[in-house]
Amino acid sequence: MTSYEPLEQSFYEQPTLELAPRLLGCLLVHETPQGITSGYIVETEAYRGALDRAAHSFNNRRTKRTEIMFHEPGHIYTYTMHRQVLLNVVSAAAGTPEAVLIRALEPKDGIPLMETRRPDRKPRELTNGPGKLCQAMGIEQIAHYGGNFTKPPLYITSGYTPEQVETGPRIGIPNAQEAKDFPWRYWVHGNRYVSK
DNA sequence: TCTGCGATTCGCT
DNA sequence: GCGAATCGCAGAC
């Protein structure tokens, strides 16, 4: 178990709807004093500020919480929901508030450490949901908000190329009217760690 | 293994 | 106050 070489800034400079599927198979890595944890990204969702009623930044709403989405792509956007932390990759050019939610991982390094952070869980229950993977990886909202995925301690590196990617409506946004049907959820076909 | 429902914190209005 | 990009548990099959 060693360090990896983070993907460069240029990787994030592609349209959100292209970045979201291209993140699949990439490796999310977190280096902490306790050790390294990592996992392959197997499920993502795109959120596109201006036109997307399901996004926090809908209608370009700029607040303390959504501020980071207006910055350059590659920044870290964390958000809390019912005591859970959710991890997002800021996408699109500065001034365009878009992001990709990381929904599920397939654990690679540091599985024993993940198990200490989420005791008494089956292997598959470690990272098969957006709040769960943050727990397993030790990701905290305050500490990581506004950071950058291009450098340690929390970064993304290349992994593998998925054989088949599937697309469908996003999860958990029933009040988003027309936006709830946008097929902006992407996952690796047949992967056991996909949340649904 | 899958589905449905209730808990409960924080940021925004 | 309100409502949410969720989780975990209970109960069915």
Side-chain angles (χ1 to χ4, degrees):
Chain A
M1 213 185 299
T2 61
S3 297
Y4 299 88
E5 188 64 31
L7 288 170
E8 294 176 9
Q9 172 69 26
S10 58
F11 172 74
Y12 301 95
E13 295 170 356
Q14 54 184 318
T16 301
L17 294 185
E18 292 176 28
L19 179 64
R22 286 202 60 191
L23 281 166
L24 297 175
C26 289
L27 190 67
L28 178 70
V29 185
H30 191 199
E31 300 178 2
T32 69
Q34 301 165 291
I36 291 182
T37 47
S38 76
Y40 295 108
I41 298 169
V42 296
E43 183 178 358
T44 60
E45 283 181 2
Y47 285 86
R48 306 189 64 199
L51 303 172
D52 182 0
R53 199 174 289 276
H56 296 150
S57 54
F58 173 63
N59 218 6
N60 288 323
R61 190 158 55 117
R62 189 165 188 158
T63 66
K64 185 181 172 186
R65 180 176 65 164
T66 63
E67 176 63 27
I68 197 64
M69 282 197 276
F70 287 84
H71 290 224
E72 295 75 20
H75 278 97
I76 299 169
Y77 174 36
T78 50
Y79 165 75
T80 53
M81 165 79 179
H82 287 76
R83 267 200 162 161
Q84 323 298 325
V85 179
L86 283 72
L87 180 65
N88 302 257
V89 181
V90 173
S91 60
T96 303
E98 304 188 350
V100 177
L101 170 67
I102 297 177
R103 286 195 55 90
L105 299 177
E106 177 179 344
K108 179 171 184 277
D109 299 311
I111 292 177
L113 180 52
M114 293 184 187
E115 288 172 338
T116 65
R117 289 169 175 155
R118 287 177 55 73
D120 304 319
R121 305 293 170 196
K122 297 174 188 170
R124 185 166 163 264
E125 294 291 320
L126 241 29
T127 57
N128 67 333
K132 300 176 191 180
L133 70 89
C134 286
Q135 264 185 250
M137 298 283 288
I139 295 167
E140 300 168 2
Q141 190 207 353
I142 307 278
H144 294 287
Y145 182 96
N148 202 295
F149 283 109
T150 56
K151 62 187 185 214
L154 180 61
Y155 59 92
I156 293 171
T157 186
S158 58
Y160 69 98
T161 303
E163 289 185 14
Q164 189 180 344
V165 171
E166 296 217 50
T167 307
R170 295 171 294 179
I171 293 177
I173 50 171
N175 300 320
Q177 301 173 35
E178 79 284 349
K180 75 178 169 57
D181 296 320
F182 295 171
W184 291 351
R185 173 173 171 252
Y186 304 87
W187 68 96
V188 176
H189 175 71
N191 189 284
R192 186 172 172 70
Y193 291 88
V194 172
S195 65
K196 185 180 173 187

